[in-house]
Amino acid sequence: MVGSYLFDGSRIDDGAAFVIHGGPSGIPSGSIATVADTSIFSGQAGSLFGIEVATASDVNNDGYDDILVGADNYVDNIRRTVFVFLGGPAGIVATGPRDAAATLVAPVGPGFAYSVELDAAGDVNGDGFDDVVVGLANYDGTIVNEGGAFVYYLSTPDVPAGAGTDTVGIYVGSTGAWFLRNSNASGGADVVFGYGPAGLGWTPLAGDWNGDGSSTIGLYNPANGFFFLRNDNSPGPADTFFGFGPGGLGWLPLVGDWDGDGDDTVGLYSPSNGFFFLRNSNAPGGADVTFGFGPGGLGWAPIVGDWDGDGTDTIGLYSPSNGFFFLRNQNAPGAADLTFGFGPGGLGWLPLAGDWDGDGDVTVGLYEPSSGFFFLRNQNAPGAADLVFGYGPANVTPLVGDWDGQ
């Protein structure tokens, strides 16, 4: 295993980790990138992914050794992050951070820009699963720059198998009630709660605001342009609230991980001229990225997803009149990278986007308000829905999120 933290993959200095399998003749000679059996790239410029690599022993006790890869500047472009990748019959099957079974993020504090050291810790709590230790130089505990060592019990509950799967939910604006479902199938809600005012026309949102792997809810007040974000799917006050962009102009709120740092942040879409305004922090301020895509004034609906599985969310548009999707793999002007029709046009169905099968790629779906039925597709291509089910009453607002982080 080799780390190359200044390697230029899809971004400058995004870094890489390479796994080379041994054999009867030992390790083959040649360029590392050429002879590697697994090549993992961060896809985030300047993240220094691979600055530290180590074996994690066997954290899920499946008989295959696992690995640790450290990045100096991944979350928030400065916080130290450690990724756990699981081994298996084919070795390490991963191409980027989204394939990690667990992500360990250095705590925020006065001195959270620590250097990171990694190692396997053995099975320190005797639960049958190997654990890991992360050392943080200059960590501020009770004394400034005293440093710290953190042991993580990476047993089955802490290392979920596979990527997260998005499921549906509904929001009833007239009552302010949320009904979240942890499977894409008919049935009762797994989580029910009230949040925010009822009957004021606020727009429901869902995103991973704090980077913990679970989607939670939020609201957008179109009258004044304020966002109210909650870090738990339960009643209570907003954890974060702020204004972004103008209110009262009919702009539509967006949510996505625009910079690939693991945290979802907000954006806005102006239907009248087809411009997107994306923000990389959930705080007041100007847009970090502004561009036009597609026609304005035609009633097309914006959608957001990681269409190519590179860890960064990008935008798309849906034409309700003919049922066509236009998806873009960059948050920049240009032609659609994917164009296809799915479902009927002209019937008032609403577009959705989610990782329905947990493979790391976001694909589209549709919601039929008049019946309360969902039609989800596992490919961004024409074809029949892979999942069809009814959930909740008719004529409510659909939601999508990874509510349980699994």
Side-chain angles (χ1 to χ4, degrees):
M1 180 169 50
V2 178
S4 179
Y5 65 91
L6 295 180
F7 188 89
D8 294 341
S10 61
R11 305 285 193 277
I12 296 175
D13 292 349
D14 61 347
F18 302 97
V19 180
I20 305 169
H21 295 168
S25 300
I27 299 294
S29 300
S31 166
I32 293 175
T34 301
V35 302
D37 295 281
T38 300
S39 301
I40 310 172
F41 307 101
S42 80
Q44 180 173 313
S47 69
L48 305 185
F49 180 85
I51 196 166
E52 183 78 14
V53 295
T55 178
S57 295
D58 185 6
V59 300
N60 61 342
N61 197 24
D62 65 351
Y64 298 94
D65 284 343
D66 311 308
I67 65 170
L68 305 171
V69 180
D72 258 15
N73 303 320
Y74 193 79
V75 173
D76 298 332
N77 294 317
I78 191 170
R79 291 171 67 186
R80 299 338 188 205
T81 309
V82 179
F83 302 93
V84 182
F85 296 96
L86 300 181
I92 304 294
V93 180
T95 59
R98 284 185 67 107
D99 298 317
T103 302
L104 313 174
V105 182
V108 175
F112 63 84
Y114 331 106
S115 64
V116 60
E117 298 290 336
L118 312 175
D119 205 351
D123 183 9
V124 301
N125 62 339
D127 65 352
F129 299 90
D130 287 334
D131 310 306
V132 301
V133 61
V134 177
L136 298 176
N138 302 323
Y139 176 75
D140 293 345
T142 57
I143 301 173
V144 175
N145 292 338
E146 66 176 326
F150 300 81
V151 177
Y152 294 87
Y153 300 148
L154 293 181
S155 57
T156 301
D158 300 314
V159 182
T165 301
D166 290 325
T167 53
V168 302
I170 58 174
Y171 169 73
V172 182
S174 61
T175 62
W178 306 71
F179 302 83
L180 310 182
R181 180 92 173 123
N182 287 332
S183 61
N184 287 316
S186 299
D190 295 288
V191 181
V192 180
F193 59 95
Y195 173 67
L200 296 185
W202 291 19
T203 305
L205 311 170
D208 184 1
W209 317 121
N210 60 0
D212 68 351
S214 298
S215 301
T216 52
I217 50 89
L219 286 166
Y220 171 70
N221 181 353
N224 63 7
F226 263 72
F227 290 82
F228 301 83
L229 310 181
R230 179 109 174 106
N231 288 331
D232 194 52
N233 289 318
S234 64
D239 294 287
T240 304
F241 63 93
F242 58 94
F244 171 60
L249 296 184
W251 290 20
L252 303 177
L254 308 170
V255 174
D257 184 359
W258 317 120
D259 57 4
D261 68 352
D263 297 332
D264 286 333
T265 51
V266 301
L268 290 166
Y269 172 71
S270 170
S272 63
N273 62 8
F275 263 71
F276 290 81
F277 304 83
L278 310 182
R279 180 90 175 123
N280 285 332
S281 61
N282 288 318
D288 295 287
V289 181
T290 301
F291 60 96
F293 173 65
L298 296 184
W300 290 20
I303 56 172
V304 172
D306 184 2
W307 316 120
D308 57 3
D310 69 351
T312 302
D313 289 329
T314 51
I315 52 85
L317 290 167
Y318 170 71
S319 170
S321 63
N322 63 7
F324 264 72
F325 288 85
F326 303 84
L327 309 183
R328 180 90 174 120
N329 286 331
Q330 298 181 58
N331 288 317
D337 296 286
L338 294 170
T339 301
F340 58 95
F342 171 60
L347 297 183
W349 291 24
L350 303 178
L352 308 171
D355 185 0
W356 317 120
D357 56 4
D359 68 351
D361 295 330
V362 172
T363 51
V364 302
L366 290 166
Y367 172 71
E368 183 183 15
S370 63
S371 67
F373 264 72
F374 291 82
F375 301 81
L376 310 182
R377 179 89 173 123
N378 286 331
Q379 298 180 61
N380 287 318
D386 296 286
L387 295 169
V388 179
F389 59 94
Y391 174 62
N395 299 312
V396 293
T397 304
L399 302 166
V400 173
D402 184 2
W403 314 119
D404 57 4
Q406 299 180 9

